[in-house]
Amino acid sequence: MGEKHSEMQHLLLASAEIFVPATAEETYSVVSDLPRSGEWSPECVGGEWVLGEPAAVGSVFRGENVRKEDVVSWAPVVRGRWHTESEVIVADPGRSFHWAMRTNSGEKQDSVWAFELEPAQGGCVLTHHFRMGRATEGILNITAEMDEAQKQRFFREWNVKIEQDLESTLHRIRDVIVNDRTARPQLP
C-alpha cells in the first residue's frame, strides 16, 4: 500500500510548453495579468480581480467564460456564457504563477491551472499545466447522471480538450508577447 498510496491520482492532468522570445520576467508579467486572458484563452474572455492585490497569493479573479456548443457535445457541460472564481496560490515573479478554482461558496478546489517559466537562451520556456485531483463542483454536476462508462469517456474527452486548450493558449500567449514587444517604441 505504501508506494501506490503515495502516488497522486488525478482525474485530469495535462501540460504543454513553448519557447517565448522574451525574458521570464516579461512573460510572467503577461501570464499573471489574468484580466488579459481573453487575449489567449479558448474559453475565458476576460474578467477582473475582485479581492486582494492583483496577481498576489490569496487574490481572487472573477473570470467570464464562453464555451461553444461542440465542446464534448454529448455531455451536459455549461454552454454559452458563465463566470468562475479562482484564487492565486503561487505567485513567484519570473518563475511560477498558479491559481485554484473556487466553489460557489469560495472554497479552493483541487483544480489548479499553472504557468512555470524557465530562462532559456534568447527568451524562456513557458509551461502551462492543469491538474484536477478531485472532482470540482462543476464536474460533479456534469457527471451526476452518468454511468461509469460515460464518466470514463467524459474524462478521456475532457482531458483531450484541456490538452488542446493548453497548446492553443501557449501559442496565443507567445503571439501576444511578440506583438506587445514590437508595438512598444524601442529606446535608443
Side-chain angles (χ1 to χ4, degrees), residues 2 21 49 63 65 77 98 112 114 128 141-142 167 174 181 183 186:
W49 295 103
N65 307 284
V77 299
H98 304 196
V112 177
H128 195 9
N141 288 334
I142 291 166
E167 286 285 339
R174 183 192 58 207
R181 292 181 103 209
Q186 299 300 312

Side-chain angles (χ1 to χ4, degrees), residues 18-28 94 116-126 177:
I18 196 168
F19 174 79
V20 178
T23 68
E25 291 75 15
E26 289 173 297
T27 303
Y28 180 91
E116 299 291 336
L117 302 103
E118 188 68 37
Q121 186 172 0
C124 69
V125 175
L126 176 62
I177 290 170

